Amino acid sequence: MFKYRFVCSNKEAAILNINQKMLNDLPCGKSIFGGNLYSRGIHFKECGEKIRGFYLDKSENKHGRGSQIRVCFTGRFVEENGNLFFDCYIYPRIIEVLFLVLVFMVFASGGKIFGFIMSIAVLLIFGKGYYNMIKETHNSLKVIFK
């Protein structure tokens, strides 16, 4: 989980921008199980006391096997010393992290040295993907809260 603080010069303009994005954020399809599929980019789910959403690096409708990995964010406006900030936590979905830990434990415990090396490789690959998505989410939020 990464914590970021953005300086916000105009809270009303930022909220208006978020509400506009939420209004225009229509799903680009339905999954096999009826869930909404979203396109690439930042998506807001809540804009009130807290602002919540997620980021996708690839469109979900182009990959029919399942949903893409997501980076979620939660934040709120904070005023300190007369300055307005947006404090935000950016993190991978908890269920995905738990699944990676489970895969790591299974491979590391059952596969001896080869399983341990493979589990480290899987963690590094997913870790780099999550890190890149967290950077992209940060950059997208920085544009909104300038």
Side-chain angles (χ1 to χ4, degrees), residues 36-48:
N36 291 330
L37 299 175
Y38 291 95
S39 60
R40 181 186 190 281
I42 196 162
H43 301 274
F44 292 93
K45 291 308 208 180
E46 181 182 334
C47 182

PDB file of all heavy atoms in Angstrom, residues 36-48:
ATOM      1  N   ASN A  36     -19.654  -6.220 -15.049  1.00  0.00           N
ATOM      2  CA  ASN A  36     -19.284  -5.175 -15.997  1.00  0.00           C
ATOM      3  C   ASN A  36     -17.807  -5.238 -16.346  1.00  0.00           C
ATOM      4  O   ASN A  36     -16.960  -5.489 -15.481  1.00  0.00           O
ATOM      5  CB  ASN A  36     -19.610  -3.799 -15.418  1.00  0.00           C
ATOM      6  CG  ASN A  36     -21.085  -3.557 -15.303  1.00  0.00           C
ATOM      7  OD1 ASN A  36     -21.869  -4.084 -16.079  1.00  0.00           O
ATOM      8  ND2 ASN A  36     -21.474  -2.758 -14.328  1.00  0.00           N
ATOM      9  N   LEU A  37     -17.504  -5.020 -17.602  1.00  0.00           N
ATOM     10  CA  LEU A  37     -16.130  -4.940 -18.080  1.00  0.00           C
ATOM     11  C   LEU A  37     -15.819  -3.484 -18.396  1.00  0.00           C
ATOM     12  O   LEU A  37     -16.651  -2.772 -18.943  1.00  0.00           O
ATOM     13  CB  LEU A  37     -15.942  -5.798 -19.326  1.00  0.00           C
ATOM     14  CG  LEU A  37     -16.202  -7.291 -19.162  1.00  0.00           C
ATOM     15  CD1 LEU A  37     -16.086  -7.999 -20.504  1.00  0.00           C
ATOM     16  CD2 LEU A  37     -15.253  -7.900 -18.158  1.00  0.00           C
ATOM     17  N   TYR A  38     -14.619  -3.052 -18.061  1.00  0.00           N
ATOM     18  CA  TYR A  38     -14.249  -1.658 -18.239  1.00  0.00           C
ATOM     19  C   TYR A  38     -13.060  -1.517 -19.170  1.00  0.00           C
ATOM     20  O   TYR A  38     -12.261  -2.438 -19.327  1.00  0.00           O
ATOM     21  CB  TYR A  38     -13.910  -1.021 -16.886  1.00  0.00           C
ATOM     22  CG  TYR A  38     -15.120  -0.868 -16.005  1.00  0.00           C
ATOM     23  CD1 TYR A  38     -15.436  -1.826 -15.062  1.00  0.00           C
ATOM     24  CD2 TYR A  38     -15.957   0.225 -16.144  1.00  0.00           C
ATOM     25  CE1 TYR A  38     -16.553  -1.697 -14.263  1.00  0.00           C
ATOM     26  CE2 TYR A  38     -17.082   0.367 -15.353  1.00  0.00           C
ATOM     27  CZ  TYR A  38     -17.372  -0.593 -14.411  1.00  0.00           C
ATOM     28  OH  TYR A  38     -18.478  -0.461 -13.630  1.00  0.00           O
ATOM     29  N   SER A  39     -12.939  -0.331 -19.746  1.00  0.00           N
ATOM     30  CA  SER A  39     -11.830  -0.041 -20.649  1.00  0.00           C
ATOM     31  C   SER A  39     -10.604   0.383 -19.844  1.00  0.00           C
ATOM     32  O   SER A  39     -10.663   0.577 -18.634  1.00  0.00           O
ATOM     33  CB  SER A  39     -12.227   1.048 -21.640  1.00  0.00           C
ATOM     34  OG  SER A  39     -12.574   2.219 -20.935  1.00  0.00           O
ATOM     35  N   ARG A  40      -9.517   0.566 -20.551  1.00  0.00           N
ATOM     36  CA  ARG A  40      -8.249   0.952 -19.944  1.00  0.00           C
ATOM     37  C   ARG A  40      -8.374   2.322 -19.303  1.00  0.00           C
ATOM     38  O   ARG A  40      -9.056   3.195 -19.792  1.00  0.00           O
ATOM     39  CB  ARG A  40      -7.182   0.992 -21.036  1.00  0.00           C
ATOM     40  CG  ARG A  40      -5.823   1.364 -20.544  1.00  0.00           C
ATOM     41  CD  ARG A  40      -4.866   1.510 -21.729  1.00  0.00           C
ATOM     42  NE  ARG A  40      -3.513   1.643 -21.288  1.00  0.00           N
ATOM     43  CZ  ARG A  40      -2.991   2.776 -20.826  1.00  0.00           C
ATOM     44  NH1 ARG A  40      -3.716   3.860 -20.747  1.00  0.00           N
ATOM     45  NH2 ARG A  40      -1.728   2.808 -20.434  1.00  0.00           N
ATOM     46  N   GLY A  41      -7.686   2.515 -18.183  1.00  0.00           N
ATOM     47  CA  GLY A  41      -7.620   3.826 -17.556  1.00  0.00           C
ATOM     48  C   GLY A  41      -8.150   3.840 -16.139  1.00  0.00           C
ATOM     49  O   GLY A  41      -8.362   2.807 -15.513  1.00  0.00           O
ATOM     50  N   ILE A  42      -8.374   5.057 -15.660  1.00  0.00           N
ATOM     51  CA  ILE A  42      -8.823   5.252 -14.286  1.00  0.00           C
ATOM     52  C   ILE A  42     -10.348   5.295 -14.245  1.00  0.00           C
ATOM     53  O   ILE A  42     -10.986   5.833 -15.146  1.00  0.00           O
ATOM     54  CB  ILE A  42      -8.194   6.530 -13.696  1.00  0.00           C
ATOM     55  CG1 ILE A  42      -8.319   6.554 -12.196  1.00  0.00           C
ATOM     56  CG2 ILE A  42      -8.757   7.768 -14.334  1.00  0.00           C
ATOM     57  CD1 ILE A  42      -7.384   7.518 -11.525  1.00  0.00           C
ATOM     58  N   HIS A  43     -10.910   4.665 -13.213  1.00  0.00           N
ATOM     59  CA  HIS A  43     -12.358   4.590 -13.053  1.00  0.00           C
ATOM     60  C   HIS A  43     -12.695   4.933 -11.601  1.00  0.00           C
ATOM     61  O   HIS A  43     -12.084   4.389 -10.683  1.00  0.00           O
ATOM     62  CB  HIS A  43     -12.873   3.187 -13.380  1.00  0.00           C
ATOM     63  CG  HIS A  43     -12.542   2.753 -14.766  1.00  0.00           C
ATOM     64  ND1 HIS A  43     -13.319   3.063 -15.847  1.00  0.00           N
ATOM     65  CD2 HIS A  43     -11.484   2.045 -15.254  1.00  0.00           C
ATOM     66  CE1 HIS A  43     -12.776   2.564 -16.933  1.00  0.00           C
ATOM     67  NE2 HIS A  43     -11.656   1.940 -16.606  1.00  0.00           N
ATOM     68  N   PHE A  44     -13.662   5.813 -11.416  1.00  0.00           N
ATOM     69  CA  PHE A  44     -14.094   6.217 -10.081  1.00  0.00           C
ATOM     70  C   PHE A  44     -15.378   5.485  -9.740  1.00  0.00           C
ATOM     71  O   PHE A  44     -16.287   5.369 -10.557  1.00  0.00           O
ATOM     72  CB  PHE A  44     -14.308   7.730 -10.023  1.00  0.00           C
ATOM     73  CG  PHE A  44     -13.030   8.503 -10.143  1.00  0.00           C
ATOM     74  CD1 PHE A  44     -12.602   8.951 -11.381  1.00  0.00           C
ATOM     75  CD2 PHE A  44     -12.254   8.763  -9.037  1.00  0.00           C
ATOM     76  CE1 PHE A  44     -11.425   9.654 -11.509  1.00  0.00           C
ATOM     77  CE2 PHE A  44     -11.076   9.466  -9.147  1.00  0.00           C
ATOM     78  CZ  PHE A  44     -10.650   9.915 -10.388  1.00  0.00           C
ATOM     79  N   LYS A  45     -15.480   5.011  -8.500  1.00  0.00           N
ATOM     80  CA  LYS A  45     -16.664   4.300  -8.037  1.00  0.00           C
ATOM     81  C   LYS A  45     -17.430   5.096  -6.998  1.00  0.00           C
ATOM     82  O   LYS A  45     -18.619   4.875  -6.804  1.00  0.00           O
ATOM     83  CB  LYS A  45     -16.281   2.939  -7.428  1.00  0.00           C
ATOM     84  CG  LYS A  45     -15.778   1.950  -8.450  1.00  0.00           C
ATOM     85  CD  LYS A  45     -16.758   1.895  -9.517  1.00  0.00           C
ATOM     86  CE  LYS A  45     -16.889   0.671 -10.287  1.00  0.00           C
ATOM     87  NZ  LYS A  45     -17.915   0.803 -11.308  1.00  0.00           N
ATOM     88  N   GLU A  46     -16.777   6.002  -6.299  1.00  0.00           N
ATOM     89  CA  GLU A  46     -17.422   6.774  -5.248  1.00  0.00           C
ATOM     90  C   GLU A  46     -16.782   8.144  -5.166  1.00  0.00           C
ATOM     91  O   GLU A  46     -15.562   8.275  -5.219  1.00  0.00           O
ATOM     92  CB  GLU A  46     -17.265   6.037  -3.916  1.00  0.00           C
ATOM     93  CG  GLU A  46     -17.909   6.703  -2.742  1.00  0.00           C
ATOM     94  CD  GLU A  46     -17.677   5.937  -1.453  1.00  0.00           C
ATOM     95  OE1 GLU A  46     -17.458   4.709  -1.492  1.00  0.00           O
ATOM     96  OE2 GLU A  46     -17.713   6.586  -0.398  1.00  0.00           O
ATOM     97  N   CYS A  47     -17.619   9.161  -5.061  1.00  0.00           N
ATOM     98  CA  CYS A  47     -17.125  10.525  -4.911  1.00  0.00           C
ATOM     99  C   CYS A  47     -17.997  11.225  -3.888  1.00  0.00           C
ATOM    100  O   CYS A  47     -19.030  11.791  -4.209  1.00  0.00           O
ATOM    101  CB  CYS A  47     -17.147  11.273  -6.245  1.00  0.00           C
ATOM    102  SG  CYS A  47     -16.489  12.943  -6.127  1.00  0.00           S
ATOM    103  N   GLY A  48     -17.601  11.137  -2.645  1.00  0.00           N
ATOM    104  CA  GLY A  48     -18.331  11.744  -1.544  1.00  0.00           C
ATOM    105  C   GLY A  48     -17.332  12.146  -0.488  1.00  0.00           C
ATOM    106  O   GLY A  48     -16.352  12.834  -0.758  1.00  0.00           O
TER     107      GLY A  48
END
